[in-house]
Amino acid sequence: MTALNVDVDPTRIDVHAATSSAGCTVSVSGEVDSATAPGLRGCLLEVLARPGTTTVEVDLRGVTFLDSAGLSALATAHRSALASGRDLRMRCGTTRAVARPLRITGLWDVFTIID
């Protein structure tokens, strides 16, 4: 298993990517906004570009705030996954901070939500 840590701003967001034979899981916690979304986008695009990675799960259960910049980062990763034939899945749990913006924007029905 390999791991990639992105230190965007430790007081606002924490992103960890761990790769195993089953694919890659990117765990995100904290606030995903205009200041932190570029780091998340970069991490997701880097993971999706890895040779041999076919499935990427984004665990958003630790996200406490998600704005339009965060939604854009997730949408960019989704488009990249589609273009490269990769499977991008989102794990949101019952976190209102994530589920509500995804539902309001219609992205809930576009992304593959696995819980």
Side-chain angles (χ1 to χ4, degrees):
M1 181 185 297
T2 61
L4 168 73
N5 296 320
V6 175
D7 183 20
V8 177
D9 179 349
T11 62
R12 299 186 64 196
I13 189 172
D14 190 23
V15 180
H16 295 279
T19 304
S20 68
S21 59
C24 185
T25 300
V26 178
S27 300
V28 185
S29 60
E31 297 179 9
V32 184
D33 58 20
S34 61
T36 59
L40 175 59
R41 178 184 301 110
C43 178
L44 293 174
L45 293 177
E46 188 275 329
V47 167
L48 286 165
R50 290 180 183 171
T53 301
T54 58
T55 302
V56 176
E57 179 181 312
V58 183
D59 187 344
L60 300 168
R61 293 176 292 179
V63 172
T64 57
F65 179 78
L66 179 66
D67 73 1
S68 60
L71 293 169
S72 176
L74 295 174
T76 298
H78 174 75
R79 284 189 304 273
S80 177
L82 287 176
S84 62
R86 314 249 167 138
D87 187 21
L88 183 68
R89 302 173 182 182
M90 312 275 178
R91 184 174 298 279
C92 303
T94 58
T95 307
R96 181 180 166 102
V98 174
R100 189 162 193 264
L102 289 177
R103 289 182 195 273
I104 288 171
T105 59
L107 290 172
W108 186 270
D109 297 323
V110 174
F111 296 158
T112 302
I113 308 294
I114 56 173
D115 60 354

